[in-house]
Amino acid sequence: MSSRDLVLAALFAAIIVALGLLPPIMLGFIPVPITAQSMGVMLSGVILGARRGTIAVLLVLLLAAIGLPVLSGGRGGLAVFAAPTTGFLIGWVFAAFVTGYLSERFVRSSQSAMLQTAGFFAAAVAGGVVVLYVFGISYLALVSGLGFTKAFLGSMAFIPGDVVKAVVAALAGRAVMAGYPLLPARA
């Protein structure tokens, strides 16, 4: 990795942490808040690509594991990896990778702005929503004893917000692609 890659990964790790500082949105019927950090995971994949985006997420999780309060609500330490929602944290790694991988495959600088935005949106939804939910819901169902159906149905309340986050990530990816492309060039 070049020093540029390391700096970009660290920058996006900082962005993910900063998005955790935004106040969470509580839904009255679900005790789990909606946070902006999953949008940071989508942004890292869309803008940096698979490898650098994944490294950014791994860096955030490493900082959380050593006890720094980098997760939403000022959480950190090994205890965050023993919660029923740990699957979503594990899923961040794979979500960033898949989002970045698909962005690298779907989006080219020669495409129109609309096609680029659509490609980024598809990548963000596939990686940042579908892949993330596969890990998060599966882990939640296994650890909490809720069963897959209840865990799945309980998580559906978060889908509209995550789709909005994917739209924001797609628009940001398109803006960066137009002004300062960071996605790795394909051979």
Side-chain angles (χ1 to χ4, degrees):
M1 284 191 83
S2 70
S3 54
R4 179 177 186 250
D5 290 340
L6 292 173
V7 169
L8 288 170
L11 173 66
F12 272 81
I15 289 170
I16 294 169
V17 170
L19 287 170
L21 298 174
L22 296 175
I25 300 168
M26 294 299 293
L27 300 176
F29 55 93
I30 294 180
V32 180
I34 296 174
T35 68
Q37 280 190 307
S38 58
M39 183 174 64
V41 173
M42 291 180 207
L43 285 168
S44 68
V46 162
I47 294 173
L48 296 181
R51 187 178 57 138
R52 293 180 296 188
T54 302
I55 290 170
V57 170
L58 286 170
L59 183 56
V60 171
L61 295 178
L62 175 67
L63 294 173
I66 63 173
L68 295 177
V70 296
L71 299 176
S72 179
R75 296 175 304 126
L78 292 176
V80 299
F81 297 102
T85 55
T86 299
F88 289 98
L89 295 177
I90 295 167
W92 278 7
V93 176
F94 298 94
F97 180 82
V98 170
T99 301
Y101 180 82
L102 293 177
S103 293
E104 292 170 8
R105 299 302 176 266
F106 290 168
V107 180
R108 290 183 229 49
S109 58
S110 61
Q111 293 174 321
S112 69
M114 183 64 84
L115 278 176
Q116 287 178 347
T117 305
F120 283 134
F121 177 73
V125 168
V129 179
V130 175
V131 169
L132 182 62
Y133 276 55
V134 166
F135 280 89
I137 291 171
S138 299
Y139 190 89
L140 179 64
L142 290 172
V143 170
S144 69
L146 281 175
F148 185 79
T149 303
K150 282 187 179 180
F152 176 79
L153 293 174
S155 296
M156 290 302 100
F158 298 99
I159 293 289
D162 285 339
V163 170
V164 170
K165 293 175 199 176
V167 168
V168 171
L171 293 172
R174 166 61 190 129
V176 171
M177 177 70 107
Y180 188 69
L182 294 174
L183 274 180
R186 288 187 291 160

